[in-house]
Amino acid sequence: MIAVRDLSIGYDGEVLLHGLTFDVPAGDVFVILGGSGCGKSTLLRHLIGLERPLAGTIELTCTPPGIRRLGPTFGVLFQSGALFGSMTLAQNVALPLQKWTRLDAAAIDTIVRAKLRLVGLEGYENHLPAEISGGMKKRAGIARAMALDAPLLFLDEPSAGLDPVSSAELDELILALNASLGVTVVIVSHELQSIFAIGRHCIMLDKAAGGIIARGNPVELREHSSDPRVVAFFNRQPMAA
């Protein structure tokens, strides 16, 4: 679904990451991980088209050949949830439908309620973001990202700022959406529990190396990697001096 080839990214001509080459298979739960400041969120911004790469290519194949979609081919959950504070949850989720479809108000309302029900927020349609918990905001953000039934979801630090129970519930939701709807999920995270719980494949970025230093299944990397940087990260160990 995503093919990245020889990608170099950075700002003002300064290269942050270079030589990035990887694939995200359709139906995968794929994690981009690494330490703070290694470029995870910057890479995500390039994948969703908010930034232009210095070199290389990013190809997204979200629909079969010959099929045209109206509107975005992917949904995004930003780290903060990015809900509009003056709008109810229902109004937030309705925004993509109002912009990209010609559905009438009744049809949009039906879809909005279905999406909120899907993420466990039935009955909260008329709540403002300030009236719900952090975990519920993330769920509402996922509902909005799924409003147009995009086959690909990008989630930026979905567990950030959540308590352990809310984080585990969000992990279960992501797995359920992937299993029941076949949605491909790309997650930026450094939360190890979530990574081991839901990640099937991953790439690990390293700031000093300026690129990918490991790839594969997170649990297998934890158990079998011989790279001291990878071992330290996955086992929460300080790097030897």
Side-chain angles (χ1 to χ4, degrees), residues 37-166:
C38 70
K40 301 186 297 296
S41 291
T42 301
L43 174 56
L44 178 64
R45 290 177 62 84
H46 282 76
L47 293 177
I48 64 179
L50 293 179
E51 305 286 351
R52 297 185 65 178
L54 301 175
T57 61
I58 301 168
E59 181 179 354
L60 273 63
T61 308
C62 297
T63 53
I67 302 297
R68 294 187 62 186
R69 280 182 55 88
L70 181 64
T73 56
F74 56 83
V76 182
L77 170 68
F78 293 98
Q79 184 172 338
S80 64
L83 299 174
F84 291 96
S86 62
M87 303 171 68
T88 66
L89 300 192
Q91 291 170 333
N92 270 280
V93 178
L95 275 177
L97 296 162
Q98 294 166 345
K99 177 175 176 57
W100 294 105
T101 76
R102 296 180 179 178
L103 296 172
D104 59 32
I108 289 176
D109 180 69
T110 298
I111 294 172
V112 166
R113 291 179 181 275
K115 298 303 181 185
L116 288 171
R117 185 184 312 117
L118 191 63
V119 300
L121 290 177
E122 184 176 15
Y124 288 89
E125 292 84 358
N126 295 319
H127 283 63
L128 293 171
E131 298 172 335
I132 59 175
S133 69
M136 294 168 76
K137 290 177 185 177
K138 297 291 182 77
R139 288 172 174 267
I142 291 176
R144 185 176 62 185
M146 296 177 55
L148 295 171
D149 292 326
L152 173 62
L153 290 180
F154 291 98
L155 310 180
D156 188 11
E157 299 282 6
S159 298
L162 300 184
D163 63 81
V165 173
S166 297

Side-chain angles (χ1 to χ4, degrees), residues 209-230:
I212 299 171
I213 61 169
R215 65 184 75 220
N217 177 270
V219 175
E220 292 179 1
L221 288 174
R222 178 186 63 187
E223 302 297 333
H224 303 297
S225 177
S226 59
D227 189 318
R229 299 166 296 182
V230 179

